[in-house]
Amino acid sequence: TEGIGDLFGGAREADITGNVAFTIEGGNIGRIFGGNNVSGNVAGSITVNIAENTTKYPCGLHAGSVYGGGQDAAYATTAPGANPVVNIIGGDIANDVFGGGLGETAIVTSNPTVTISGGSIGNNVFGGGSLAETDGSPTVNVTGGTITLGAYGGGALADVVGQTNVNIISGTVGNAYGGGLGQHADAEVGKDAIAATVTGNANVTVSGGTTTNVFGCNNLNGSPKGDVSVTIKEAANVTNVYGGGNQAASSVSPVVNIIGGTSDKVYGG
C-alpha cells in the first residue's frame, strides 16, 4: 500500500520560532519525526501524537519508526518546560520509538518523554535518540499497549547526559532497561564498541503490567554512572529482575526493591 516515506513536524534547514504539535490517526508512513530535517531548530516544544482512529481510517495506522527529535538536526530550546513529547495512543509501529533524534548531529538538549498507552511496538522504545546524544533526562512511561523487545530509559548506540526514568504501569513489555542499548566490537564485520552511557542515575519502576526481564543498567555494552534503582511493586508481573545489565559490565552498586507484585527470580547484579 502506498504511503508517505518520511514525515517531519519541523522544517528542512530552517528555524521554527514556535511550537510543533501534530496528531496522526491513519495511513502508512515510513518514519515520523517531531523535529527538523538536516538542520535548523524548533524553538518551542514538540508534541507527536500517534492515535489510530479506525472509524475515520478503516485501514488503520502503520508506521516504521517514530522520533521526538529530528533527523540530523539538533533540538535545543530555552523556552520554559519545552521538551519533545511522544505519545503512542494506538497504531502499529513496526520498528522503534525514540524520544530523541536520529543521527550524530541530532542532539536533543532537553528532557524527552515517551508515553506508550496503546498500540503495538514491533521492536523497542527509547527515551533517548538513535546515534544521537540526549543532553537531558529522558522518561519512558508505559501505561498500556505492547512493546515486543525492550523499553530503554537511554538511547540506541547513543549517550544520555543526565538521568533516565522508566515507569511501567500497565501493558506488555519484553524487557526493561534503565540504561541504553550498546554494541560490542566485532572486527569481522567492522563494528566498534559503543557504550550508550548514562552519565546520571537510572531508575526503573514497575507497578503493573507484564514484563519478562527488568534490568537496572544497559543492554550489551555500557552502564549508567550514577545510582541505579529498580523497584517492583503493586500489580507488577515480572519473570526476572536484575540490578545490573544484560551482557554489559557495570561498576555501580544497584539497589533492587521488591515491594510487591510477582517476580520469579531476583538478582542484585
Side-chain angles (χ1 to χ4, degrees):
T1 303
E2 293 185 0
I4 299 171
D6 291 339
L7 186 152
F8 295 87
R12 179 183 173 91
E13 300 179 273
D15 292 335
I16 294 177
T17 58
N19 301 328
V20 168
F22 60 94
T23 299
I24 301 175
E25 296 182 328
N28 295 285
I29 304 169
R31 300 181 300 179
I32 299 168
F33 296 89
N36 279 17
N37 187 18
V38 183
S39 65
N41 186 49
V42 177
S45 63
I46 296 174
T47 304
V48 180
N49 298 313
I50 307 300
E52 182 179 63
N53 186 335
T54 54
T55 301
K56 293 171 65 175
Y57 306 101
C59 291
L61 194 165
H62 307 276
S65 296
V66 181
Y67 301 82
Q71 177 175 248
D72 299 326
Y75 171 76
T77 176
T78 57
N83 298 293
V85 175
V86 177
N87 299 309
I88 308 296
I89 301 162
D92 176 22
I93 310 300
N95 299 317
D96 303 295
V97 176
F98 299 88
L102 172 63
E104 293 183 358
T105 55
I107 298 169
V108 168
T109 304
S110 190
N111 303 309
T113 298
V114 178
T115 299
I116 311 297
S117 60
S120 62
I121 315 299
N123 289 338
N124 302 292
V125 173
F126 298 89
S130 176
L131 299 169
E133 182 178 293
T134 300
D135 292 346
S137 297
T139 296
V140 173
N141 300 312
V142 183
T143 63
T146 299
I147 302 171
T148 303
L149 297 184
Y152 295 79
L157 310 183
D159 294 341
V160 169
V161 182
Q163 75 171 28
T164 60
N165 299 283
V166 177
N167 304 301
I168 300 175
I169 299 167
S170 186
T172 301
V173 180
N175 301 312
Y177 302 88
L181 173 63
Q183 175 177 283
H184 292 302
D186 188 340
E188 291 185 2
V189 295
K191 284 186 178 180
D192 295 326
I194 300 176
T197 300
V198 175
T199 65
N201 302 336
N203 304 295
V204 182
T205 302
V206 184
S207 59
T210 299
T211 307
T212 304
N213 299 300
V214 175
F215 298 90
C217 296
N218 280 27
N219 187 19
L220 297 183
N221 195 4
S223 172
K225 300 301 183 183
D227 297 330
V228 174
S229 173
V230 176
T231 302
I232 310 299
K233 62 181 183 178
E234 296 172 7
N237 184 3
V238 179
T239 304
N240 299 305
V241 180
Y242 303 85
N246 178 46
Q247 301 181 52
S250 175
S251 60
V252 301
S253 299
V255 175
V256 177
N257 300 298
I258 308 298
I259 301 171
T262 302
S263 304
D264 187 14
K265 294 180 176 63
V266 178
Y267 304 88

